[in-house]
Amino acid sequence: MNRFRMAAIALAALLVAGCGGVRIQPDKGLPTALVKPLPAHAGLVISGELRNYSHKETRTGSDWQVDLGPGHVHLLNDMFKASFTSFEVFKDLDAARAASGIAAIFEPKIEQFSFATARDTGGRYWAVTIRYRLEVYTPQGERADSLTLSGYGSTLAGRSGADALERASLAAMRDAASKFLVQMPRQPMSVALAKGEPVSPAAPVSAANSSGGIEAVPIEADDDEPGKPLPII
């Protein structure tokens, strides 16, 4: 494809974006994970907020909308199917607490979605970052842990803006999923789950760190993020 044709395609994409905006819904299954599931029955809370999560942003005169909810429902089901011998999905924490046989309750949330266009990166690629928080509760609904997790994805420029953003978003989602699958068994709570025992409540927050919540323990932290990264095994 010569440069003139590529320029024409890029111009057409910009015109479309400027007229009606861009709306995408990244939704693709997770490849089969080659991990050993923990022998536990887990509860997965997928709230209405997560199911309907949508990022809206106006960038350089164009409206962008990324509907992340539906794709994450499928992604989370694939993740938990690979991570535990069995699991149930609940609409809220109260419903999960009322169930029997649950060893741990997990409630994922999307904290931040951000993207960089080819213009932002000098025409080379599109990039996406998605930051998550995973709240973990005991079967009785007591807080057991709070984990943070970030997924990163990118794709080369040259495609339409919508296609590039969708591909980069899917890559970020899969990156976060792979980190969870690989590093979740290394978490302290997983010792109990591996023995077939339920998770325990988190230790009380010290006076020096009494922020009203449990300090986040990143699954995979950047050098400039607070928190101690997990050891690499």
Side-chain angles (χ1 to χ4, degrees):
M1 183 181 295
N2 59 45
R3 71 177 67 181
F4 299 105
R5 187 178 177 189
M6 291 181 65
I9 293 174
L11 178 59
L14 287 174
L15 289 174
V16 170
C19 293
V22 177
R23 183 173 184 175
I24 63 169
Q25 183 176 299
D27 189 352
K28 207 167 199 177
L30 187 68
T32 302
L34 301 179
V35 296
K36 184 178 180 180
L38 290 169
H41 184 57
L44 171 61
V45 174
I46 303 182
S47 66
E49 180 181 358
L50 180 57
R51 290 179 184 275
N52 300 301
Y53 189 98
S54 183
H55 175 83
K56 299 178 182 180
E57 181 176 341
T58 299
R59 184 86 65 91
T60 62
S62 298
D63 295 327
W64 298 82
Q65 180 170 335
V66 185
D67 297 327
L68 294 167
H72 277 84
V73 171
H74 295 154
L75 185 75
L76 288 165
N77 274 279
D78 288 345
M79 286 168 52
F80 275 71
K81 183 178 180 180
S83 297
F84 302 96
T85 51
S86 60
F87 74 100
E88 289 181 65
V89 178
F90 302 94
K91 64 178 181 179
D92 55 39
L93 182 58
D94 288 339
R97 289 173 55 192
S100 60
I102 302 291
I105 302 170
F106 298 83
E107 183 177 15
K109 302 175 182 178
I110 299 175
E111 289 197 325
Q112 180 184 8
F113 175 90
S114 60
F115 68 95
T117 68
R119 177 181 295 182
D120 299 324
T121 64
R124 296 179 55 201
Y125 60 92
W126 289 64
V128 165
T129 299
I130 310 177
R131 184 175 179 85
Y132 304 87
R133 181 169 297 279
L134 185 64
E135 304 290 2
V136 188
Y137 301 94
T138 68
Q140 294 75 35
E142 299 173 279
R143 188 180 298 276
D145 212 334
S146 183
L147 311 174
T148 58
L149 172 64
S150 293
Y152 307 95
S154 64
T155 187
L156 292 175
R159 304 182 178 91
S160 71
D163 182 62
L165 182 56
E166 182 172 339
R167 288 174 178 266
S169 299
L170 287 169
M173 292 163 61
R174 287 186 171 185
D175 178 56
S178 65
K179 290 174 182 176
F180 176 85
L181 292 171
V182 171
Q183 299 188 42
M184 177 61 196
R186 304 175 190 171
Q187 296 294 321
M189 75 182 82
S190 297
V191 175
L193 295 175
K195 296 178 181 178
E197 302 172 357
V199 298
S200 302
V205 181
S206 66
N209 187 33
S210 56
S211 59
I214 303 300
E215 182 180 0
V217 182
I219 290 181
E220 188 86 4
D222 290 336
D223 292 338
D224 59 350
E225 291 183 347
K228 182 179 179 182
L230 291 176
I232 302 300
I233 299 178

Coordinates of all heavy atoms in Angstrom, one line a residue, residues 4 7 22 32 45-46 49 61 91 110 137 140 172 183 209:
F4 N 0.2 7.4 -0.4 CA -0.9 8.2 -0.8 C -2.2 7.5 -0.4 O -3.2 8.1 0.1 CB -0.9 8.5 -2.3 CG 0.3 9.3 -2.7 CD1 1.3 8.7 -3.4 CD2 0.4 10.6 -2.4 CE1 2.4 9.4 -3.7 CE2 1.6 11.4 -2.7 CZ 2.6 10.7 -3.4
A7 N -2.6 7.6 3.4 CA -3.0 9.0 3.8 C -4.5 9.2 3.6 O -5.2 9.8 4.4 CB -2.2 10.0 3.0
V22 N -16.5 8.0 17.4 CA -16.1 6.6 17.3 C -16.6 5.8 18.5 O -16.4 6.3 19.7 CB -14.5 6.5 17.2 CG1 -14.1 5.1 17.2 CG2 -14.1 7.2 15.9
T32 N -7.1 -20.4 25.6 CA -7.0 -21.4 26.7 C -5.8 -21.3 27.5 O -4.7 -21.2 27.0 CB -7.0 -22.9 26.1 OG1 -8.2 -23.0 25.3 CG2 -7.0 -23.9 27.2
V45 N -18.2 -11.5 41.8 CA -19.2 -10.4 41.8 C -19.0 -9.6 40.5 O -17.9 -8.9 40.4 CB -19.2 -9.6 43.0 CG1 -20.2 -8.4 42.9 CG2 -19.5 -10.4 44.3
I46 N -19.9 -9.6 39.6 CA -19.9 -8.7 38.5 C -21.0 -7.7 38.6 O -22.2 -8.0 38.3 CB -20.0 -9.4 37.1 CG1 -18.8 -10.5 37.1 CG2 -19.9 -8.5 36.0 CD1 -18.8 -11.3 35.7
E49 N -22.4 -1.8 37.5 CA -21.5 -0.8 37.0 C -20.4 -1.4 36.1 O -20.1 -0.8 35.1 CB -20.8 -0.2 38.2 CG -19.8 0.9 37.9 CD -19.1 1.5 39.1 OE1 -19.4 1.1 40.3 OE2 -18.3 2.4 38.9
G61 N -11.4 17.2 19.0 CA -12.6 17.4 18.3 C -13.5 16.2 18.0 O -14.6 16.4 17.4
K91 N -24.5 -10.9 41.3 CA -24.8 -9.5 40.9 C -24.2 -8.5 41.9 O -24.0 -7.3 41.6 CB -26.2 -9.2 40.7 CG -27.1 -9.4 41.9 CD -28.6 -9.1 41.6 CE -29.5 -9.2 42.8 NZ -30.9 -8.8 42.5
I110 N -13.0 -1.7 37.3 CA -12.1 -0.9 36.4 C -12.0 0.5 37.0 O -12.9 1.2 37.2 CB -12.7 -0.8 35.0 CG1 -12.9 -2.2 34.4 CG2 -11.8 0.1 34.1 CD1 -13.6 -2.2 33.0
Y137 N -13.0 -10.9 49.4 CA -13.7 -11.0 50.7 C -13.8 -12.4 51.1 O -13.7 -13.4 50.3 CB -15.2 -10.5 50.5 CG -15.3 -9.1 50.0 CD1 -15.4 -8.8 48.7 CD2 -15.3 -8.0 50.9 CE1 -15.5 -7.5 48.2 CE2 -15.4 -6.7 50.5 CZ -15.5 -6.4 49.1 OH -15.6 -5.1 48.7
Q140 N -18.0 -14.7 54.4 CA -19.0 -13.9 55.2 C -19.0 -12.4 54.8 O -19.8 -11.6 55.3 CB -18.6 -14.0 56.7 CG -18.8 -15.4 57.3 CD -17.6 -16.3 56.9 OE1 -16.5 -15.9 56.7 NE2 -17.9 -17.6 56.7
A172 N -4.5 -5.0 26.0 CA -4.4 -4.6 27.4 C -5.2 -5.5 28.3 O -4.8 -5.9 29.4 CB -4.9 -3.1 27.6
Q183 N 0.1 -14.9 38.4 CA 0.5 -14.5 39.7 C -0.5 -14.7 40.8 O -0.1 -14.6 42.0 CB 0.9 -13.0 39.6 CG 2.1 -12.8 38.6 CD 2.6 -11.4 38.6 OE1 2.8 -10.8 39.7 NE2 2.9 -10.8 37.5
N209 N -0.9 3.6 59.3 CA -1.5 3.5 57.9 C -3.0 3.4 58.0 O -3.6 2.6 57.3 CB -0.9 2.3 57.2 CG -1.3 2.3 55.7 OD1 -1.5 3.3 55.1 ND2 -1.4 1.0 55.2

